[in-house]
Amino acid sequence: MNLFIDCTQKNFYLGIFENNSFVDKQIIPTNNNLTDIAIEYIGKLLTKNNLKKTDIKSIYLVLGPGSFTGVRVGILITQSWISIFKDVKCNVISSLELQMQCENCISIIENKSKSFVSVKKDNILVIQPQYLDNIEIEKICEQYINAKIIKNYQNIDIFENVIYNIKNFKLSENIEPLYLKEAL
């Protein structure tokens, strides 16, 4: 079984999947209480599905950009898990790449006058995650006029996107947040 964790946005996305299909999934609204509820909800999800922590063979983690606290909570949970259960693999992806589910996409996570952006053209990431002025992002959108623009996890099924992007998760032994220093 695989555990999916995304704490980077307004909701806490949590799921268990196997063979490219989710067995169970939850979207938990957070009201500035993520640190209080994350472990509890993971435990409830495992219990509900008659699973033990040792049944989890891989964790699929979203590294941001997004909520600073959320990114840290996801990393802390994952690092703790893989330090206790040595055979568990960790696979990571950016929230920008995760929200893409098409061959030609512009993925944006908005943040006031600057935002995070990444671009996929013909199923290849042609612009790696960057933190740019919104004016620069408008120019990128004009340059890739035929690309679908996806912002802030709106109008997507994040769990479908996990399966769609499963090949884009990268195996990682050293888990670091995927946000840029300029955003801090």
Side-chain angles (χ1 to χ4, degrees):
M1 288 290 183
N2 304 299
L3 179 64
F4 170 71
I5 300 172
D6 183 355
C7 306
T8 65
Q9 305 304 311
K10 291 179 183 175
N11 293 316
F12 174 30
Y13 299 91
L14 183 62
I16 297 172
F17 69 98
E18 184 176 44
N19 301 326
N20 293 329
S21 178
F22 273 88
V23 174
D24 200 351
K25 55 192 175 188
Q26 296 180 346
I27 301 172
I28 302 117
T30 60
N31 298 312
N32 297 323
N33 64 345
L34 179 63
T35 54
D36 298 329
I37 65 169
I39 298 296
E40 174 187 349
Y41 274 92
I42 292 171
K44 286 180 180 180
L45 185 69
L46 293 174
T47 300
K48 178 182 171 191
N49 290 282
N50 298 315
L51 295 171
K52 295 179 240 148
K53 292 175 185 159
T54 55
D55 293 326
I56 301 300
K57 300 304 176 202
S58 292
I59 296 177
Y60 286 76
L61 176 66
V62 182
L63 290 177
S67 158
F68 181 78
T69 300
V71 170
R72 295 285 185 210
V73 168
I75 290 172
L76 182 60
I77 290 168
T78 303
Q79 284 178 329
S80 298
W81 199 301
I82 63 178
S83 72
I84 294 168
F85 305 102
K86 304 286 187 203
D87 61 334
V88 174
K89 306 268 187 266
C90 175
N91 302 279
V92 298
I93 195 169
S94 78
S95 49
L96 289 163
E97 192 170 1
L98 181 62
Q99 73 175 349
M100 296 180 182
Q101 192 182 13
C102 53
E103 290 183 7
N104 297 297
C105 294
I106 300 171
S107 179
I108 301 170
I109 302 288
E110 294 176 310
N111 187 19
K112 299 178 186 167
S113 64
K114 287 185 159 188
S115 297
F116 294 94
V117 66
S118 188
V119 177
K120 189 180 345 177
K121 183 177 182 203
D122 299 326
N123 239 3
I124 297 170
L125 215 54
V126 294
I127 297 180
Q128 296 295 322
Q130 296 182 33
Y131 191 59
L132 302 172
D133 287 320
N134 289 336
I135 293 168
E136 293 176 62
I137 292 174
E138 287 176 22
K139 291 177 186 174
I140 290 171
C141 292
E142 290 170 6
Q143 181 182 354
Y144 295 95
I145 196 155
N146 294 325
K148 180 179 180 180
I149 298 172
I150 304 164
K151 293 182 181 180
N152 306 322
Y153 281 39
Q154 295 173 348
N155 302 317
I156 62 170
D157 181 328
I158 201 69
F159 300 105
E160 281 183 15
N161 283 30
V162 169
I163 302 305
Y164 179 84
N165 284 298
I166 201 76
K167 65 189 176 303
N168 298 322
F169 278 82
K170 295 183 179 34
L171 189 61
S172 177
E173 291 181 20
N174 185 19
I175 308 166
E176 304 252 343
L178 212 148
Y179 58 84
L180 304 175
K181 291 177 186 172
E182 302 90 40
L184 296 175

